[in-house]
Amino acid sequence: MEALAVRLSGLDAYAEGAIRVVAFYDTLMRRRVDLPALARASAGLAECVAGIRLHDTGRAWRVAPDGSRPSDPPSPSSGHGSAPAHGSAPASAPVPITLDEEEIGEVWLERPGPPLALDTVVLERLALAAATVVERYGPARTTMADPALVELVISSGADEAATARALRLLGFPADAPVEVVAVRSRLPLHRIGALVCPGRTVKAATVGDVGVLLAGGVDEDRFPADARAGIGAAESPERSWRQARTALRFTTAHRPVVHHARLGALALLAHVTPDAARENADVAAIAALADNPGDLATLDAYCATGSQRRAAQLLHLHHSSVARRLEQIGRTLGVELTEPAGLVRATVALTTWRLLTDRDG
């Protein structure tokens, strides 16, 4: 490296400097420094304040060239500070720390005056080095995981020892409860994991056509609007995965997140055979009703809320319009929807039809 730097120095001073920066960070990695030491070394190299921040924990290291911690925040020009501070230098545009194709943090410099030519190289190498440190001293706190490990955790054929080892490799403490979630969404799976498991360990992978989240805890209210999610309830990850897949089948536009434990006896409907479902008169009537999306949406909203007025609010219609629709739908189904027994009958038929179409699809 040094010989190459000498040869390039006669041609391009910038190239020589860039190679020396690369060699500097290679040396740091060989010495297996941690993130605070990496921030201190970078501040000394750049001769200005250097910063590292990890998104999942919110921890940040901001170090001056002399190794001290600056007392005043950086200028908010890059979004790192909330207000200008007297004597502080503007922060450069942050460079993302990327691991497993996921942004896990950012690095930046705070240089008085204009940036130097090699600042970009310093930031790029600092970001790469920070990713290496996070991975080395992990397990890495990234969301995306090796699908093979995730499949091993939820596999029905794995023994307890293999499952426990896979969970340890994924970063879950021994004997800690792990929630299993089945997800369908247009959003990237790692973003959903970060949203619903803030500050907790979460690993994500796609298995077949369904996203899998393994998490130390899930905040159900934080799922994005377009996501459908089923949450398992069993202690065994393998059984919990089966439950999560079942719960996912019960999700609707008005009930996008379903916890298997709250399904109760309704979960039994998932085990009704397709032939038995098709032969049921109520399910067949729902299938015929499906040709009219407006009627199906009205019945869905009414079954979800149990109230004509709340259904009208969901549908953005006047409650009298919903009442007329439900009266017509009840005649078509041969069910008195305003009676409790009729509402239960329609809900069971609608749910069974959904499960049937989900299975056929």
Side-chain angles (χ1 to χ4, degrees):
M1 180 68 72
E2 291 296 328
L4 179 59
V6 171
R7 290 177 60 189
L8 288 175
S9 64
L11 302 175
D12 190 337
Y14 175 84
E16 178 189 359
I19 290 176
R20 291 188 184 278
V21 170
V22 172
F24 175 84
Y25 282 101
D26 285 347
T27 300
L28 290 178
M29 291 301 93
R30 285 195 297 271
R31 293 177 180 173
R32 305 179 72 85
V33 298
D34 57 11
L35 290 177
L38 184 60
R40 287 195 300 271
S42 299
L45 173 68
E47 297 183 338
C48 67
V49 173
I52 302 173
R53 178 184 291 110
L54 298 182
H55 293 329
D56 64 335
T57 63
R59 292 193 65 188
W61 295 266
R62 183 168 168 259
V63 186
D66 61 1
S68 64
R69 296 181 180 181
S71 57
D72 47 359
S75 163
S77 59
S78 68
H80 291 287
S82 58
H86 178 71
S88 64
S92 65
V95 171
I97 304 170
T98 304
L99 186 59
D100 296 334
E101 299 182 355
E102 177 185 349
E103 183 178 328
I104 63 169
E106 60 188 11
V107 299
W108 70 94
L109 297 176
E110 299 167 30
R111 183 179 299 286
L116 300 184
L118 288 172
D119 281 358
T120 300
V121 180
V122 171
L123 285 168
E124 290 176 352
R125 301 307 300 184
L126 173 55
L128 287 171
T132 301
V133 172
V134 171
E135 186 174 35
R136 176 180 294 165
Y137 295 108
R141 293 298 300 273
T142 61
T143 302
M144 296 309 292
D146 181 353
L149 282 177
V150 174
E151 284 196 67
L152 181 59
V153 169
I154 62 177
S155 171
S156 59
D159 57 36
E160 291 186 10
T163 298
R165 180 176 182 275
L167 286 171
R168 286 198 303 271
L169 290 173
L170 289 168
F172 292 95
D175 301 324
V178 176
E179 283 195 286
V180 184
V181 186
V183 180
R184 283 198 175 99
S185 176
R186 291 190 299 270
L187 283 177
L189 197 56
H190 69 83
R191 287 183 56 189
I192 295 176
L195 281 172
V196 303
C197 307
R200 294 185 289 270
T201 301
V202 55
K203 296 295 179 180
T206 300
V207 176
D209 62 340
V210 180
V212 186
L213 295 181
L214 302 177
V218 175
D219 189 339
E220 298 178 31
D221 296 330
R222 294 176 65 91
F223 278 96
D226 83 309
R228 299 288 183 91
I231 303 174
E235 292 184 5
S236 160
E238 176 264 327
R239 286 189 56 222
S240 188
W241 169 238
R242 291 205 308 268
Q243 292 178 350
R245 288 291 300 266
T246 297
L248 180 64
R249 295 178 61 198
F250 282 83
T251 59
T252 69
H254 302 304
R255 196 183 183 190
V257 180
V258 173
H259 200 296
H260 188 274
R262 299 187 196 124
L263 285 174
L266 283 176
L268 296 173
L269 295 177
H271 303 287
V272 174
T273 65
D275 289 342
R278 294 188 189 96
E279 291 171 1
N280 183 270
D282 285 355
V283 176
I286 295 292
L289 189 70
D291 292 334
N292 188 327
D295 286 349
L296 190 65
T298 300
L299 182 61
D300 180 30
Y302 179 60
C303 289
T305 61
S307 163
Q308 293 184 10
R309 288 188 178 274
R310 291 205 296 273
Q313 292 173 352
L314 284 178
L315 297 168
H316 304 291
L317 295 172
H318 195 275
H319 72 273
S320 60
S321 299
V322 171
R324 286 194 298 271
R325 285 191 185 184
L326 289 173
E327 184 179 357
Q328 177 60 42
I329 292 170
R331 285 197 296 267
T332 301
L333 298 179
V335 175
E336 181 53 64
L337 294 175
T338 58
E339 295 181 356
L343 176 59
V344 170
R345 184 174 159 183
T347 301
V348 171
L350 180 60
T351 302
T352 305
W353 172 79
R354 276 214 175 88
L355 294 172
L356 177 63
T357 55
D358 175 75
R359 185 191 305 247
D360 290 343

